[in-house]
Amino acid sequence: MKRHLAQAAVAAALSLAAPAFAQDFVTTSAAKTIPGTEGKDIYNAICSGCHMPDGTGATGAGHYPALAGNAMLEGPDYPIHMIIHGQKAMPPVGDVMTDDQIAAVVNYIRHDLGNAFEGETTAADVAAAR
Amino acid sequence: MSSQPKGMSRRDLLAMVGMAAGASAMYSAMAGMGYAGTSDYKGPVKLEGDPKGASVLVLGAGLAGMTAAYELRRAGYKVQILEYREKAGGRCWTLRSGDSYTELGGYTQKVGFAEGNYLNPGPWRIPSDHYAVLDYCKRFGVKLEPFMQVNYNAYVHNTEAFGGKPQRFKEIQADYRGQIAELLAKAVKQDKLDEAVTDEDAELLVASLKRYGVLNDDLEYVKSEKVSEHRGWEKQPGGGVGAEPVPSNIISLSDILKGKLWNNLITGESIDHQAAIFQPVGGMDMIAQAFEREVKDLITYNAKVIRYEGGENGVTATYVDAKAGGAEQTVSADYCICTIPFSVLGQIEHNFSAPMTAAIEDVYYESSIKVGLEFKRRFWEQDDHIYGGISYTNLPITLISYPSTNFFSDGPGVLLGTYSWGAAAYQFNAIAPEARIEKALEFGAQIHPQYRDEFSNGVAVAWHRVPWTLGCYGEWRDKEKHYPAATAMDQRTLMAGEHISFLPAWQEGAILSALNAIERLHKHIIG
């Protein structure tokens, strides 16, 4: 929490100092990766589109699985693999995120969204899985 | 690797000339959309021989499913169709005034467009070599009109070039081509390419480049009346006193190159975008409606298939009401044509073989976003003299497409204000419809400042949120490996749809795959 507050303060200071606001949306159609560094921001820039902001998933003719309360997220390897390579209808989205972003979002979905799985994922873990 | 050769090889030269001429259709506007292929349609399918009462269950009432059902019934089969939605058409879909669309996540958009205005969230163009779609349109009386793909008076735009000011397509096109022609003509004239071009060819090449690039007798592309006839005038010619035109200035090749405005000059030149290219009058789903009129009595709507089982004695699909759920119902037949997108089929309980299962699971569906924006007046026509066609930009919206119909009308008009793929599409998908529309306005206003004053309402379809496809079109992870299994008969089922074709994402691919499947099925049954 302390870390988050410190970062928020820095972000606020930056936004006051410079006219440019924190980039929260891709700036070009040719963007290779989505913006953002915080797990939550990254989640809400890509993952939430299908898994929904609260991680409850969605159902139509097929469904998008819930991430909230999903036991498959107990270890980080499965979500890392799913993000990078996809599986079945889940597209590989490793190319639209950096290793750091994937690590941050893996931590977010495992630590947040009502989940409390242990362990920190690092960019090095992601790089090793690519 | 050998060191860089000093001169160009003949092949390099010809390739370069070809590319500049647009002869090389190497660029697809829709990244990852596979081939720009010509249809192999051979005319109406002929299923001769008596199927002796054989029955076929068709899963999905999109164009593939309805093509299969229509033709099989004509050939004497007993046919029924299960469709997840409340209406037919699948991705051949149009949103117009009064329509309501609820996406995954629960956002419902009520389309507020004026009467007659529409957005085609899926396919929106029919190339003139998509013979099957065009043939069914003709047979079913679907009226077509020209789709304006290339408009020389539309814009090319890059936030990093020309101070972010959009440039007219014709100016960039003429100046880019002219200056490349000049460079090449001079190089040939100065014998710099003598190893690559024979003397005889060199003379002809210079003559052709002079014509091609609108060069003067000194092989220069310079400000002139002739050049202005291509790129436009500084002051237009008029009548009477003071009517002489004033030639316009040329934009330097360096500025064009740095601004990357050459990027979309040949988008309209691939065979799936070349003129002539068409759209149905009134919206793409006029095709769906025409098919539906033919097979409506065969369709069970709101049927969510939850189980499929095929075997020696036939096939059985189990479904529930897509909205209310409730009791399971079953439909049985001798055979099945399955057009359910693999993104959905992979989640349905089935007894397909391991190779078919692997094929189904190999396919994911692309992310794509379209935003339709209605404006109170057609300012692009009235202020900017743009009649149909497409402006391209490096902004996340990718393009703005102007309506190819109802030119010069006074009422409101609808622009396609976003059509994007990749990271941009994912991010559009992750925000609420009204936020997508707001982004489309924010970016589009950088090209057309009239946006904010004239905006009326909009609708945004992000394809990963579409409940019945879970994405835009099927993308194979390893098509070479799995495609043969996907096309083989498995548990008395043959698959069809754009994903079972080499024209992926196109309606032509969906129809051709259906025709191919029923021909094979018929042969199997008749023997």
Side-chain angles (χ1 to χ4, degrees), chain B residues 172-193:
Chain B
I172 299 299
Q173 159 76 13
D175 294 353
Y176 175 65
R177 192 169 69 178
Q179 289 171 88
I180 286 175
E182 176 182 329
L183 277 178
L184 198 49
K186 284 181 172 167
V188 174
K189 206 71 182 167
Q190 293 162 13
D191 296 331
K192 285 184 178 162
L193 300 174

Side-chain angles (χ1 to χ4, degrees), chain B residues 444-495:
Chain B
Q446 296 180 41
I447 295 166
H448 291 288
Q450 304 97 321
Y451 257 43
R452 291 293 182 186
D453 285 344
E454 304 295 347
F455 178 67
S456 168
N457 70 99
V459 62
V461 175
W463 275 92
H464 269 140
R465 295 259 196 164
V466 174
W468 30 277
T469 56
L470 310 184
C472 178
Y473 73 94
E475 184 73 37
W476 292 82
R477 292 177 174 88
D478 189 346
K479 188 168 189 174
E480 201 178 340
K481 181 178 175 189
H482 294 290
Y483 191 80
T487 53
M489 185 177 287
D490 198 297
Q491 303 293 3
R492 291 188 165 232
T493 285
L494 283 168
M495 302 291 172

Side-chain angles (χ1 to χ4, degrees), chain A residues 21 24-35 43-50 52-53 57-64 85-93 96, chain B residues 84 104-105 304-305 343-344 346-348 361 363-365 393-398 420-424 426-431 439 443 463-465 467-468 470-471 477:
Chain A
F21 48 87
D24 64 350
F25 205 83
V26 289
T27 55
T28 168
S29 60
K32 295 278 180 258
T33 57
I34 51 155
Y43 181 83
N44 285 316
I46 177 164
C47 316
S48 67
C50 296
M52 299 299 140
T59 300
H63 81 289
Y64 292 128
H85 302 290
Q87 188 186 84
K88 298 172 72 174
M90 164 92 185
V93 289
V96 297
Chain B
Y84 173 78
L104 290 176
K304 176 176 175 171
V305 176
S343 48
V344 174
Q347 302 185 27
I348 292 171
E361 296 184 353
V363 177
Y364 66 91
Y365 280 59
T393 172
N394 72 323
L395 287 165
I397 58 175
T398 304
S420 301
W421 303 82
Y426 277 113
Q427 202 165 9
F428 271 109
N429 183 64
I431 58 179
K439 283 288 174 194
F443 294 126
W463 275 92
H464 269 140
R465 295 259 196 164
W468 30 277
L470 310 184
R477 292 177 174 88

Side-chain angles (χ1 to χ4, degrees), chain B residues 47 51 54 56 58 66-81 291-299 518:
Chain B
L47 305 179
V56 179
V58 176
M66 290 196 288
T67 298
Y70 171 76
E71 298 291 357
L72 286 169
R73 174 157 70 173
R74 270 164 52 101
Y77 289 87
K78 283 186 240 164
V79 181
Q80 49 188 328
I81 311 175
F291 270 98
E292 191 178 26
R293 278 194 294 275
E294 301 291 335
V295 299
K296 194 173 179 64
D297 57 315
L298 306 179
I299 305 175
I518 61 171

Side-chain angles (χ1 to χ4, degrees), chain B residues 69-181:
Chain B
Y70 171 76
E71 298 291 357
L72 286 169
R73 174 157 70 173
R74 270 164 52 101
Y77 289 87
K78 283 186 240 164
V79 181
Q80 49 188 328
I81 311 175
L82 293 180
E83 167 54 40
Y84 173 78
R85 297 171 74 201
E86 72 291 349
K87 64 176 177 178
R91 283 164 275 178
C92 175
W93 181 28
T94 298
L95 285 170
R96 53 173 69 79
S97 179
D99 283 346
S100 178
Y101 163 57
T102 302
E103 63 178 34
L104 290 176
Y107 293 113
T108 295
Q109 299 178 73
K110 293 218 182 337
V111 183
F113 294 160
E115 189 72 31
N117 284 341
Y118 64 85
L119 169 73
N120 294 322
W124 53 314
R125 305 171 274 206
I126 308 172
S128 55
D129 62 357
H130 283 193
Y131 307 123
V133 178
L134 292 173
D135 192 31
Y136 279 104
C137 286
K138 187 165 168 52
R139 285 156 72 185
F140 293 161
V142 177
K143 204 168 156 47
L144 300 175
E145 63 190 352
F147 175 89
M148 310 287 272
Q149 169 72 40
V150 178
N151 183 334
Y152 280 70
N153 213 38
Y155 294 119
V156 283
H157 172 253
N158 185 331
T159 49
E160 308 290 321
F162 302 100
K165 188 173 177 290
Q167 306 294 302
R168 296 285 184 178
F169 185 100
K170 64 187 171 196
E171 296 175 358
I172 299 299
Q173 159 76 13
D175 294 353
Y176 175 65
R177 192 169 69 178
Q179 289 171 88
I180 286 175

